[in-house]
Amino acid sequence: MKNNSKFMLRAIELSIQSAKSKGGPFGCVIVKDNQIIAEGHNQVTANNDPTAHAEIVAIRNACKELNNFFLKGCDLYTSCEPCPMCLSAIYWSHVDNIYYANTRMDAKDIDFDDSLIYSEIIKEIDQRKIKMKQMNRNEALEAFKIWQNKEDKIKY
């Protein structure tokens, strides 16, 4: 992994600005060809959107900028180790590298504790805190059959 401190410092600057305004203390930048192509800061409370984490906002902005849902060739710099939701989105986006500053334990120390989610992911479905019940699988499989046979699908 290459190391470019100026990009991390920008992510940290965004996190500080966000902490001073209506967002949580998180910032993120996405870099391609040694240039920042997108930025994001936490907007959860500002937008009443639990998914508006800095990394998600930056990924959305980068995808719009590149007009593509793949971020291959990009690096992501975030002021804190990504939460489970953001980490999943980062993997889905296919960035090349993740650089982070604060750890999940640092976040936990200021009441951003994702340990419940990490522990829930590895549990069997029937053991999770939020109950999940499967229903109407046969009907739902129709969409999967259509997708499977679709010749002009765009795989992701």
Side-chain angles (χ1 to χ4, degrees):
M1 284 187 168
K2 57 186 177 249
N3 182 10
N4 199 326
S5 184
K6 71 179 180 180
F7 300 130
M8 181 58 75
L9 291 174
R10 177 60 183 153
I12 293 168
E13 181 181 358
L14 289 168
S15 74
I16 292 168
Q17 290 172 1
S18 186
K20 289 179 178 179
S21 65
K22 290 187 176 187
F26 305 98
C28 180
V29 299
I30 297 178
V31 174
K32 184 176 178 92
D33 299 325
N34 212 32
Q35 297 290 324
I36 294 175
I37 61 162
E39 297 182 341
H41 63 87
N42 184 283
Q43 298 176 20
V44 170
T45 57
N47 294 346
N48 291 317
D49 179 355
T51 69
H53 290 200
E55 297 90 340
I56 301 293
V57 172
I59 288 169
R60 290 173 180 161
N61 291 338
C63 290
K64 284 180 190 172
E65 177 67 25
L66 296 177
N67 195 31
N68 199 329
F69 53 85
F70 276 128
L71 297 179
K72 280 221 171 280
C74 296
D75 293 326
L76 184 142
Y77 294 78
T78 181
S79 63
C80 187
E81 182 180 355
C83 74
M85 175 185 69
C86 292
L87 189 59
S88 296
I90 292 165
Y91 271 89
W92 278 111
S93 75
H94 298 277
V95 298
D96 291 355
N97 299 292
I98 303 168
Y99 300 93
Y100 66 94
N102 292 319
T103 68
R104 70 172 97 161
M105 294 310 293
D106 295 327
K108 182 178 180 178
D109 288 343
I110 60 165
D111 294 326
F112 289 94
D113 186 2
D114 297 322
S115 57
L116 172 68
I117 300 169
Y118 281 106
S119 69
E120 289 287 298
I121 289 171
I122 61 173
K123 290 180 182 176
E124 294 295 325
I125 288 175
D126 64 347
Q127 299 299 312
R128 292 181 181 162
K129 182 176 180 176
I130 297 176
K131 297 303 174 206
M132 295 176 64
K133 296 177 180 151
Q134 185 181 26
M135 55 189 292
N136 294 90
R137 179 174 181 259
N138 290 335
E139 294 84 352
L141 281 172
E142 182 63 26
F144 282 14
K145 290 174 188 172
I146 292 168
W147 178 259
Q148 186 175 23
N149 295 320
K150 186 174 178 148
E151 293 189 18
D152 63 343
K153 65 185 161 204
I154 299 171
K155 291 186 177 186
Y156 56 96

